[in-house]
Amino acid sequence: MKKIEIAPSILSADFRNLEREVKTVEDAGADRIHCDVMDGVFVPNITFGPLVVDAVKKCVKIPLDVHLMIVNPEKYIQQFCDAGADILMVHAETCKNLSDVLDSIKKRGVKAGVAVNPDKPVELFLPYLDKIDQVLIMSVYAGFGGQKFITDTMVKAKEVYNEVKDRYPHIDIEVDGGVNKETASISKENGINVLVAGSYIFGADNYKSRIESIR
Ligand code: DX5
Ligand code: ZN
């Protein structure tokens, strides 16, 4: 069994006090910080870019898990790598040539991940597993925090798990969206080893107990 890792998403953090927020979740036992980058084109919402990733990088020691929800991600790989992304994830359908995008991330010494929305098939990335460090199974449609977990997406998580467990055991399988105590346990039963949680952690008074409850 792989170690379970918890990645709080700063989308639900208090941006007036971002430094304090990320340091508090780090002290509370978070394994990574999840940064949701949205462009208002691929998804209807707009969040932040490399400047904020760079600022967060300076506040914590744990790795940054950067989730790009943007069109033409190939244009911005250099900037997000320079900003300090440790794992950079793109949505498969935003890439004209996914294989080239993965190469471009990895040649910069950063781990490469592929995300898929609930309505997108795993076949989009299965041919490139040898270049992938992490698969992100979206359990909500990318765009907003606080949505309800779509349990059907776990069929894909299990499929990916079965595909990688023997041949690519280093690949992490992450879930993102609507994660709480109950859905975390469903996720783990389906092969997920990295859990992103935004509102469930940052919406609580005690981050540590929420992190422990999903671990
Ligand atoms: C949604 C983002 C998520 C979001 C999760 O597009 O990718 O990372 O912050 O938020 P919760 O945990 O509140 O569903
Ligand atoms: Zn995310």
Side-chain angles (χ1 to χ4, degrees), residues 113-138:
V114 179
V116 277
N117 259 320
D119 61 347
K120 292 288 179 284
V122 297
E123 283 70 24
L124 285 174
F125 62 81
L126 287 183
Y128 312 111
L129 285 178
D130 55 341
K131 302 179 179 200
I132 292 174
D133 298 294
Q134 175 161 291
V135 170
L136 174 56
I137 301 290
M138 292 302 299

Side-chain angles (χ1 to χ4, degrees), residues 55-75:
V56 171
K57 184 73 182 177
K58 291 176 176 137
C59 300
V60 293
K61 295 183 194 69
I62 51 178
L64 303 190
D65 198 51
V66 177
H67 178 190
L68 297 184
M69 288 163 270
I70 64 175
V71 295
N72 303 318
E74 58 281 349
K75 280 192 187 169

Side-chain angles (χ1 to χ4, degrees), residues 86-161:
D86 295 276
I87 304 159
L88 191 56
M89 291 171 281
V90 295
H91 276 257
E93 68 270 35
T94 62
C95 301
K96 287 177 199 82
N97 186 326
L98 179 59
S99 174
D100 286 354
V101 170
L102 295 169
D103 285 340
S104 151
I105 297 171
K106 289 182 75 74
K107 81 170 187 217
R108 293 174 165 87
V110 170
K111 290 185 174 173
V114 179
V116 277
N117 259 320
D119 61 347
K120 292 288 179 284
V122 297
E123 283 70 24
L124 285 174
F125 62 81
L126 287 183
Y128 312 111
L129 285 178
D130 55 341
K131 302 179 179 200
I132 292 174
D133 298 294
Q134 175 161 291
V135 170
L136 174 56
I137 301 290
M138 292 302 299
S139 42
V140 300
Y141 283 89
F144 298 94
Q147 303 180 72
K148 189 174 177 297
F149 187 88
I150 302 170
T151 308
D152 286 352
T153 58
M154 290 300 101
V155 174
K156 285 192 290 185
K158 195 58 183 262
E159 198 180 335
V160 173
Y161 176 73

